Amino acid sequence: MGDAKKLFIKTYGCQMNVYDSERMAEALGGAGYAEVGSAAEADMILLNTCHIREKAAEKVYSELGRLRALKAERPDLKIGVAGCVAQAEGAEILRRAPVVDLVVGPQSYHRLPAMAEAAARGERALDTDFPEEDKFDHLAARPKARRAPSAFLTVQEGCDKFCAFCVVPYTRGAEVSRPAARILAEARDLVERGVREITLLGQNVNAYHGHAGGLAGLVRALAGIDGLARIRYTTSHPNDMDDALIAAHGDCEKLMPYLHLPVQSGSDRVLKAMNRKHTAAQYLRLVERIRAARPDIVMSGDFITGFPGETEEDFRATLELVEAVNYGMCYSFKYSPRPGTPAAERAQVPEAEKDDRLQRLQALLTAQQRACQESMVGREVSVLFEKPGRLAGQMGGKSDYLHAVHVHAPGAQPGDIARVRVTGSAANSLAGELV
Ligand code: 5AD
Ligand code: SF4
């Protein structure tokens, strides 16, 4: 591979982008590119972008501005923009940033090798189609290299829910589920290459319908794969949490006791304005049913503060909901108007209030996260080792509850799963000892 061209991909945003970046690297691998760890040595730089919040496009343009200097030094350097900003901005990127050679949307990156060829000929290429064909059918088989113990696997993409704040239905398109047989084949292949844990990805993963039994059916089918020890999935919508999936949390041992189930707000008025199509009480009832099936499950969520029309009273309802659920982990954001979405057109909450509410919410969420971690101390968990820690003989990995855990485990290998007693809790991780 001495004359392989060097590819550097910078990934922004969600886990699906992480997965897509891997697939793009593999697709270009077939076209003679080998991935490297820095932009400085690359022959091609791809920015795999995110459009979910604040000034995403502006950040990409300023990154492209910085890359201009690099390209001035090395005119043969090719620069591409992929992902959701590519989808949203399209040809505008080629117009505003002459440094860019190719723009490719999330549904057409299987065409990257041809686009890279065009770029090599000095052409500029744009592809932001939602093609008829399924990109996964057109991507080369994944290379047989050994893999890290934990992997992402996209099973569903896009979203038909149209929450009033969200760009995803526009950037990722309509909901599409991959056929279960393909997913199972990809999962078996991952397991053969050392993967022990698979996180199923979808913008609306529990709306998955590529298996007759829905996501629960897929999870149970995956659980039949020997050597696959753990299954997770993200991100879910409360309205798609069906009985079968809740039941799977109760009796499918490989399905891990952690669930990311965003609610966004605790106020019925705001939920309605967000077009969430459920109330706070319905969400709380759902969490109760999930906990009845799996009492020790760790709940996680997403919240937005300062959605248009949110009053102090609405915000207090969010704090109350958070108190009622008691989350183990949460992400919270100030509302950020996204071009083309309904809520962007509405009267906005002043920035200072968004800020103030975000800080109050985060104080509560951080306290709950600490309490959840501390409640683990003294308990036995299983830990999937991922990589050696900083100290000699130490391994780092994740518990069933997705906490990072450091353990003194001389001789242990990445991919081993050990029973561990948690002995301490630090800011963002736990310490434990082998039992
Ligand atoms: N402003 C702020 N947060 C947003 N999210 C999605 N769109 C916006 C927006 N316009 C948050 C939601 C979602 C998470 C992925 O990002 O909480 O669940
Ligand atoms: Fe960003 Fe959402 Fe696109 Fe993921 S799906 S890259 S979070 S905009």
Side-chain angles (χ1 to χ4, degrees):
M1 294 282 277
D3 55 356
K5 284 174 283 184
K6 300 193 178 95
L7 169 70
F8 176 69
I9 305 185
K10 183 165 177 181
T11 306
Y12 302 80
C14 64
Q15 294 153 322
M16 192 170 290
N17 267 12
V18 174
Y19 176 84
D20 287 346
S21 290
E22 269 179 35
R23 300 296 310 243
M24 286 190 245
E26 290 166 4
L28 286 169
Y33 284 87
E35 222 179 340
V36 294
S38 83
E41 51 177 322
D43 300 301
M44 180 184 293
I45 298 173
L46 278 183
L47 305 179
N48 192 10
T49 59
C50 172
H51 203 229
I52 194 88
R53 277 176 296 273
E54 203 92 72
K55 303 189 186 90
E58 290 317 308
K59 279 184 207 151
V60 173
Y61 286 116
S62 53
E63 178 76 24
L64 290 170
R66 284 192 287 279
L67 292 177
R68 207 162 51 198
L70 208 58
K71 187 142 172 168
E73 283 167 30
R74 293 192 284 122
D76 287 343
L77 175 66
K78 300 298 174 197
I79 294 176
V81 180
C84 293
V85 175
Q87 190 64 43
E89 293 277 297
E92 178 69 6
I93 298 180
L94 293 177
R95 206 181 56 75
R96 266 186 69 178
V99 74
V100 172
D101 299 285
L102 65 90
V103 174
V104 62
Q107 300 312 345
S108 36
Y109 62 71
H110 54 297
R111 298 174 177 164
L112 259 177
M115 296 175 78
E117 256 178 52
R121 290 194 301 270
E123 294 164 22
R124 301 178 85 200
L126 168 74
D127 195 335
T128 51
D129 287 351
F130 288 107
E132 280 294 309
E133 80 264 18
D134 176 354
K135 67 174 176 261
F136 294 112
D137 291 346
H138 291 261
L139 287 166
R142 309 196 67 172
K144 292 291 169 199
R146 188 110 192 124
R147 305 255 325 193
S150 184
F152 295 130
L153 204 176
T154 293
V155 303
Q156 179 278 337
E157 260 185 280
C159 181
D160 297 336
K161 296 257 181 323
F162 291 92
C163 297
F165 50 81
C166 188
V167 287
V168 167
Y170 311 95
T171 57
R172 291 273 173 176
E175 214 166 288
V176 177
S177 291
R178 296 178 67 192
R182 301 292 172 79
I183 295 164
L184 287 163
E186 193 171 329
R188 277 188 213 101
D189 178 66
L190 289 169
V191 170
E192 271 168 33
R193 291 185 289 131
V195 168
R196 310 283 324 267
E197 171 179 278
I198 291 180
T199 302
L200 307 174
L201 298 181
Q203 270 88 29
N204 226 307
V205 71
N206 57 344
Y208 176 78
H209 56 265
H211 186 286
L215 186 64
L218 179 67
V219 164
R220 289 187 194 278
L222 286 162
I225 298 178
D226 283 338
L228 180 61
R230 293 175 157 194
I231 302 166
R232 306 180 184 278
Y233 62 89
T234 197
T235 288
S236 295
H237 192 288
N239 291 356
D240 291 314
M241 228 32 234
D242 62 16
D243 293 347
L245 192 53
I246 295 173
H249 277 284
D251 62 23
C252 179
E253 264 179 44
K254 293 185 179 181
L255 185 57
M256 291 292 101
Y258 180 99
L259 179 62
H260 186 58
L261 194 63
V263 64
Q264 315 295 355
S265 168
S267 151
D268 288 344
R269 236 173 45 82
V270 173
L271 288 169
K272 190 158 198 309
M274 287 176 163
N275 192 32
R276 293 287 294 179
K277 300 199 169 84
H278 61 75
T279 63
Q282 284 166 335
Y283 179 83
L284 290 172
R285 173 78 192 113
L286 177 60
V287 172
E288 254 174 43
R289 287 169 55 218
I290 295 163
R291 285 200 168 125
R294 183 74 205 229
D296 60 340
I297 200 163
V298 168
M299 295 298 302
S300 126
D302 291 337
F303 290 92
I304 296 176
T305 67
F307 184 79
E310 185 189 72
T311 63
E312 173 63 23
E313 196 187 338
D314 292 319
F315 175 66
R316 291 219 187 106
T318 297
L319 294 178
E320 273 168 35
L321 176 141
V322 170
E323 296 276 11
V325 172
N326 193 17
Y327 288 95
M329 172 79 208
C330 272
Y331 306 87
S332 49
F333 316 96
K334 279 189 290 182
Y335 171 69
S336 123
R338 309 310 296 131
T341 59
E345 312 299 324
R346 301 177 193 161
Q348 301 294 310
V349 170
E351 207 55 28
E353 298 211 353
K354 288 187 197 172
D355 260 324
D356 173 66
R357 289 175 196 166
L358 184 66
Q359 282 178 30
R360 285 153 66 201
L361 176 61
Q362 286 186 340
L364 175 59
L365 293 172
T366 306
Q368 290 193 345
Q369 184 185 329
R370 292 247 165 82
C372 174
Q373 280 190 207
E374 265 147 31
S375 76
M376 294 288 160
V377 176
R379 279 167 69 177
E380 241 185 61
V381 296
S382 78
V383 177
L384 170 59
F385 291 139
E386 289 176 347
K387 53 182 179 230
R390 267 175 296 155
L391 307 175
Q394 197 187 50
M395 284 296 280
K398 297 273 164 54
S399 78
D400 353 29
Y401 305 99
L402 208 54
H403 288 124
V405 188
H406 299 283
V407 186
H408 183 68
Q413 297 298 316
D416 291 352
I417 295 178
R419 293 299 294 173
V420 168
R421 179 166 299 104
V422 179
T423 54
S425 167
N428 285 307
S429 66
L430 301 173
E433 58 191 23
L434 295 175
V435 292

